[in-house]
Amino acid sequence: MAAVVKSRAGDLFSALGENPLLLGLPRMRTESDWGRLLMHRPKVLMGPEVEDWQRLDAVPQLNNSFVPKLEETEAATRMQMALLSSIRSRDPRVEANRVMVYAADPATHETMEDIPFAMVAAQGAIIRGPTGGGKSSFLFRLLSHFPQVVHRVGDESLGYLELKQLVWLVAEMPPDPSRGGLLESIAHAMDKALGKDYLSQLGKVTKLESKFVWVIHWLLLHRCSFLVVEEAQKGNLDTRVLGEAFQRFFLRLLNSGIPVVLVGNPLAFSELETNSQNMSRLTSAGLWDYYPEFTWVTERWKDLVTYVWGFTVFDSNKDKHIKQLHALLWILTGGSPSYLARLRKEALMKAISMRKDYVDEEVLLLAANGAVMRGVRPLILALVARNDAALGKFKDQPVEYFRERWAQVPQELRRPPMDLLRGSLVHHIFESTDASARPTSDGSAKAADSTTTGRKGTKQGTRKSNSKDSTRPLAPQPSSSSS
């Protein structure tokens, strides 16, 4: 009996493997596989004969660095599964699937409601977090392991003689809350990938509802298996009426067999979160959060310091020892991976200008005081101080989320070691972070109390919490000497 079951399973996977739309695409990867594939450390070969201008020219390569966290290896697996499942469920050898390609034929369908459902609905996912958290970097690394377009040669039995198979597509939400703008963005992205003129054709369609049908029709024709909609902001997704209309479009794509990944600011999804059914459908492949590190002792922060701060354009990493490096970098960046990379690039450039082949504390603090870090300093100060009132001045920051996470930080980690800055050029700028965060004017005193430093030993508003992350990143720990 076991042999019969094994034989049937083998026949099933053999049949799936013959799906012509899967040819040339990578096999399913495990989380361990993705940990290796996502990791990227740019190599800069620099000998002693290299001139300073060449070193400066190599500094931006740090932008290509990527250090995956454990959650991202799981997210990559889930998203690849959604992509491959979409392709398998539309196997062109099945007659019903050949018919489904024309399910959104604008000649016979006037509205999205007229489009029949696919035999198997696709999965959706949401990737949310403030700007600079690494959302787009993760997607870039993930999608770089898949071809975007595959040119297929087929026959009548498959429903096509030639096909430009669109494996994945990334489109941007319009800056204004316009459904038509989103459709134009998708059409424009398809034109760039496929060499078509869909945007021009869409401009000739007068009815908005018909435009929805046309876009779904084109995505089905090219067997799109993974649609990413980036930069969902509060103004373009969370508007009460238009937000519901966007959701209807995304759900219709799922019902047509096209996986959808929404990427953007957490504030954009508040309207969606009030609809449990839609939220369930659009997160069937996961709800993935991206935020700065909340303390300087997390394993994730140690990994970022090791690999991002460890990037160099010199012969080898000759950086001088800096006391409590992890804590100091956290103070100067607010725990943001993006700002850590920005500070490292500035430090390398400053070292080159000072005719040094290493970064030391002097170079670091000069870089932190420079013009490039100045623009993000107010946000960094708010994060370091855990000050919800200061954070609330930024309209794109999810203050409530930060309040909840800050309240879970152990009391001994509420106040960063500000003495590390004493005597430096940036000490007077950061000295305000050494004080307790004040209650906000909207009456959230309890939340603000939970973020105070408690210098007098008060335990008011504290909560018990484990100081370690619940997950372990893939990258090895740095040596204790660098902490």
Side-chain angles (χ1 to χ4, degrees):
M1 183 64 181
V4 173
V5 173
K6 182 176 182 180
S7 175
R8 289 176 179 173
D11 291 342
L12 173 62
F13 282 102
S14 175
L16 291 175
E18 295 171 2
N19 182 341
L21 299 181
L22 287 172
L23 297 177
L25 298 183
R27 63 165 175 80
M28 189 66 209
R29 307 291 188 182
T30 65
E31 291 184 27
S32 178
D33 292 332
W34 278 115
R36 174 177 48 83
L37 293 170
L38 291 174
M39 183 77 177
H40 182 62
R41 302 179 65 189
K43 293 183 178 179
V44 181
L45 301 178
M46 293 289 180
E49 72 284 355
V50 174
E51 297 184 35
D52 285 347
W53 72 265
Q54 293 173 302
R55 299 187 194 280
L56 282 173
D57 197 42
V59 168
Q61 290 192 37
L62 179 56
N63 295 334
N64 299 323
S65 177
F66 190 81
V67 184
K69 54 184 178 180
L70 195 60
E71 293 91 337
E72 287 171 327
T73 65
E74 181 183 356
T77 302
R78 298 285 186 179
M79 292 183 190
Q80 183 186 16
M81 187 177 294
L83 185 155
L84 295 180
S85 295
S86 173
I87 296 176
R88 290 189 177 114
S89 66
R90 290 187 281 176
D91 190 332
R93 295 171 297 169
V94 179
E95 182 179 0
N97 291 335
R98 296 195 295 272
V99 174
M100 184 62 194
V101 171
Y102 301 97
D105 187 350
T108 56
H109 300 90
E110 294 184 358
T111 69
M112 288 191 292
E113 278 68 24
D114 297 334
I115 303 173
F117 288 8
M119 291 188 294
V120 179
Q123 293 181 309
I126 291 178
I127 301 177
R128 65 183 184 183
T131 301
K135 305 182 300 295
S136 297
S137 296
F138 162 69
L139 282 170
F140 176 81
R141 287 297 301 158
L142 171 67
L143 296 177
S144 68
H145 293 283
F146 298 90
Q148 183 176 20
V149 178
V150 180
H151 295 260
R152 305 287 188 191
V153 176
D155 53 51
E156 292 184 0
S157 66
L158 297 176
Y160 60 86
L161 298 178
E162 291 185 356
L163 169 67
K164 287 185 177 181
Q165 180 186 353
L166 186 60
V167 180
W168 57 266
L169 184 72
V170 177
E172 293 185 0
M173 287 287 290
D176 61 317
S178 164
R179 289 172 289 169
L182 172 60
L183 299 177
E184 292 173 0
S185 177
I186 294 174
H188 177 63
M190 293 184 72
D191 288 348
K192 290 178 61 177
L194 301 166
K196 298 289 186 177
D197 63 343
Y198 290 138
L199 181 59
S200 175
Q201 294 181 46
L202 191 67
K204 300 175 182 178
V205 181
T206 56
K207 294 182 179 180
L208 179 61
E209 193 65 26
S210 296
K211 291 185 177 185
F212 278 114
V213 177
W214 274 103
V215 169
I216 296 176
H217 175 59
W218 292 328
L219 291 171
L220 288 176
L221 280 180
H222 291 282
R223 280 70 167 182
C224 180
S225 304
F226 200 72
L227 174 63
V228 178
V229 180
E230 275 201 302
E231 294 307 319
Q233 300 295 331
K234 184 176 178 61
N236 55 28
L237 183 61
D238 197 37
T239 305
R240 182 168 296 279
V241 177
L242 296 182
E244 293 174 357
F246 281 130
Q247 293 174 41
R248 188 166 63 93
F249 174 56
F250 297 141
L251 290 172
R252 179 55 63 177
L253 291 173
L254 296 184
N255 291 332
S256 300
I258 303 172
V260 177
V261 179
L262 303 179
V263 186
N265 192 291
L267 298 174
F269 301 104
S270 59
E271 177 68 22
L272 172 61
E273 290 170 350
T274 64
N275 189 315
S276 60
Q277 183 175 359
N278 290 357
M279 189 68 175
S280 175
R281 288 290 315 281
L282 288 168
T283 59
S284 52
L287 173 61
W288 310 97
D289 287 323
Y290 281 76
Y291 290 92
E293 292 302 299
F294 292 106
T295 76
W296 56 95
V297 298
T298 66
E299 298 295 343
R300 171 65 176 165
W301 185 246
K302 293 178 182 178
D303 289 342
L304 289 170
V305 172
T306 297
Y307 293 106
V308 176
W309 193 256
F311 173 85
T312 187
V313 293
F314 302 116
D315 302 339
S316 61
N317 197 332
K318 300 178 181 178
D319 285 5
K320 303 302 182 183
H321 173 76
I322 299 176
K323 182 182 179 182
Q324 297 189 50
L325 178 63
H326 295 86
L328 182 57
L329 292 177
W330 187 88
I331 293 170
L332 296 175
T333 64
S336 166
S338 175
Y339 297 160
L340 178 65
R342 180 187 290 208
L343 181 59
R344 180 59 180 179
K345 288 186 291 185
E346 288 306 299
L348 290 172
M349 295 176 67
K350 183 64 67 175
I352 293 171
S353 69
M354 297 173 68
R355 310 295 295 175
K356 294 183 177 182
D357 61 353
Y358 56 83
V359 172
D360 56 13
E361 186 172 353
E362 178 190 18
V363 170
L364 167 59
L365 294 174
L366 285 172
N369 195 48
V372 173
M373 297 301 298
R374 203 169 294 152
V376 294
R377 187 175 292 150
L379 177 56
I380 292 173
L381 290 171
L383 294 173
V384 172
R386 310 188 199 282
N387 191 325
D388 54 356
L391 191 65
K393 295 179 181 179
F394 301 95
K395 295 181 179 180
D396 60 343
Q397 293 297 321
V399 179
E400 188 58 36
Y401 180 96
F402 278 100
R403 282 178 185 152
E404 294 175 359
R405 270 55 183 185
W406 287 339
Q408 298 172 21
V409 174
Q411 185 69 30
E412 64 272 16
L413 298 177
R414 298 280 176 86
R415 173 180 173 271
M418 301 303 301
D419 289 345
L420 295 175
L421 295 176
R422 194 165 303 281
S424 70
L425 295 172
V426 292
H427 178 257
H428 70 284
I429 300 173
F430 281 81
E431 61 185 353
S432 61
T433 66
D434 202 22
S436 301
R438 297 291 186 264
T440 58
S441 57
D442 62 1
S444 55
K446 184 176 181 180
D449 285 344
S450 68
T451 65
T452 58
T453 59
R455 282 190 168 191
K456 296 181 179 180
T458 177
K459 296 184 179 180
Q460 181 181 358
T462 60
R463 304 182 186 180
K464 293 182 179 180
S465 173
N466 189 344
S467 62
K468 294 185 178 180
D469 284 346
S470 58
T471 55
R472 173 70 178 98
L474 295 181
Q477 293 188 39
S479 62
S480 59
S481 61
S482 62
S483 62

